[in-house]
Amino acid sequence: MSISAINVRNQFRGRVKEVIEGPVVSEVDVLTPAGLIVTSVITTRSAKELGLVVGKEVVALVKSTEVSIATL
């Protein structure tokens, strides 16, 4: 599956693992087939409009101008 109408090259297909709903924003964890978790913070309104529930198949679209890395 590819979202070609959006200019986002980093796309991770997966299933919703967890939704932590807040009054304004919600945290959504997406589990990829490789076992990685991609986490997104979106408005709670958007999460509800998208019908995000555990197990729903989704695509996480990642577009960023900066990625920071720290050593452990």
Side-chain angles (χ1 to χ4, degrees), residues 19-62:
V19 179
I20 301 172
E21 188 175 304
V24 178
V25 295
S26 294
E27 185 176 317
V28 181
D29 289 342
V30 176
L31 180 62
T32 69
L36 301 173
I37 295 176
V38 178
T39 302
S40 177
V41 176
I42 64 172
T43 65
T44 298
R45 179 179 182 176
S46 292
K48 289 180 179 182
E49 288 177 356
L50 289 168
L52 298 181
V53 294
V54 172
K56 182 167 185 145
E57 190 173 7
V58 295
V59 177
L61 306 166
V62 180

